[in-house]
Amino acid sequence: MSGVIVHLPRESSGADGEPREDAVTLRLGPGEVARFGRGPASVPVELRLDDPAISRLAGEIRVTDDHWQLTNHSTAHSYLVENPEGAGEYLRVPPRRIGAPVPFEFSRVVLPTRGAATVSFQVFAPDHLYLDPDAMGVPWGNRTVTAYSLNETATYFLVLVALCEPRLRDQSRVAVPTTPRIVERLSGHLASGELTARAVSSHIDYLAEEKLRVGAPGTSEPGRSDRRNGKREEIVGLALRFGLVREEHLALLPPLARTGGQERQAAR
């Protein structure tokens, strides 16, 4: 299990309506806890949410071996845990609920405020494990799990396919698409809404650090990850070498419009 990533985006606004100066990203392992709320000095929190409607200690995230739990310390407000990649799926965590298990692989935790906008942060769940299909039907003692557990219905997998698309369509050594190109390529294709450049970057980081473990000892060439595009190149190289993304996965992407610009994009 590779742990949980909690991300509070920069666009989250404080009580004065101004954006936060910096995004906050936390990495938590099994048994670790992150607290969130307004957080005075007497009650330190790892995620500070500056809104007067949010409790000083609003809640906490606790990581287990295969999922994470949300505790709501509020005595008055329920919190929502949304699945941005589902068809409107969400969980409601009522006041004073302790350790509500969250099954989503990618979640948005939403807290109510007095203003028109809510306050939210994102949670990437522990690495979900899937049984090897070839091992189904054998005794449990002999089961195996896949080395790279990828959910082909998740948005991060769609981003991975878009990264690999140019090399799948043209076997020559072509450039890996940039974030703006990924945003453009997937525009209007997701039922959950438009992908932003920040969201694409988060999915790429999730693929590199959690799903494919790019940069781990023995998985990358020395110094390669230090280059600007090194992470993307390693992601694409690993996915294609091990057949994690194949030509049939291109059907997950929107059709290529047969215009000059789109054809040039496909060839790059």
Side-chain angles (χ1 to χ4, degrees):
M1 203 286 294
S2 52
V4 157
I5 297 177
V6 183
H7 180 68
L8 179 63
R10 183 178 184 274
E11 56 263 33
S12 297
S13 297
D16 56 3
E18 293 297 321
R20 297 176 55 89
E21 293 184 1
D22 297 300
V24 178
T25 301
L26 305 175
R27 299 175 63 89
L28 306 174
E32 293 187 316
V33 175
R35 294 175 293 185
F36 57 89
R38 291 215 317 277
S42 58
V43 187
V45 294
E46 287 72 30
L47 287 178
R48 185 167 182 176
L49 308 175
D50 295 323
D51 189 280
I54 295 177
S55 304
R56 298 184 186 279
L57 180 57
E60 68 179 37
I61 291 167
R62 180 178 298 273
V63 182
T64 70
D65 286 338
D66 58 1
H67 68 281
W68 62 280
Q69 302 171 344
L70 180 66
T71 293
N72 182 354
H73 288 308
S74 172
T75 59
H77 298 139
S78 294
Y79 303 153
L80 295 182
V81 183
E82 299 175 340
N83 178 10
E85 299 177 339
E89 296 175 300
Y90 69 90
L91 299 175
R92 182 183 295 111
V93 182
R96 303 182 303 280
R97 174 68 161 92
I98 297 175
V102 179
F104 308 137
E105 191 166 11
F106 175 44
S107 305
R108 181 186 297 116
V109 179
V110 183
L111 284 70
T113 67
R114 291 179 62 88
T118 55
V119 170
S120 65
F121 55 88
Q122 301 160 353
V123 181
F124 290 89
D127 196 11
H128 287 191
L129 299 178
Y130 297 87
L131 287 174
D132 185 340
D134 295 333
M136 298 300 289
V138 301
W140 284 106
N142 295 329
R143 67 177 181 174
T144 59
V145 295
T146 54
Y148 300 106
S149 83
L150 298 174
N151 180 357
E152 295 185 4
T153 66
T155 302
Y156 69 75
F157 189 79
L158 196 63
V159 170
L160 177 59
V161 175
L163 284 171
C164 296
E165 181 184 25
R167 293 188 186 173
L168 285 171
R169 295 191 185 278
D170 180 351
Q171 295 301 316
S172 63
R173 185 73 172 177
V174 292
V176 176
T178 62
T179 293
R181 288 196 180 278
I182 297 295
V183 172
E184 179 184 1
R185 183 70 180 94
L186 300 179
S187 177
H189 189 57
L190 297 178
S192 57
E194 293 294 321
L195 269 181
T196 64
R198 187 180 301 277
V200 169
S201 295
S202 295
H203 284 300
I204 290 173
D205 287 342
Y206 184 54
L207 284 164
E209 298 169 11
E210 303 299 322
K211 287 298 184 180
L212 304 182
R213 301 179 295 280
V214 167
T219 64
S220 61
E221 299 173 14
R224 190 175 182 186
S225 295
D226 296 335
R227 299 205 306 268
R228 183 177 181 82
N229 263 351
K231 180 188 297 183
R232 295 164 185 263
E233 291 173 0
E234 288 193 60
I235 288 173
V236 171
L238 188 149
L240 295 180
R241 283 198 308 273
F242 284 96
L244 306 178
V245 177
R246 302 177 297 279
E247 191 171 345
E248 57 263 33
H249 289 128
L250 293 175
L252 298 173
L253 299 174
L256 281 172
R258 289 304 170 190
T259 64
Q262 290 280 8
E263 288 177 349
R264 285 194 299 272
Q265 176 185 339
R268 275 196 287 265

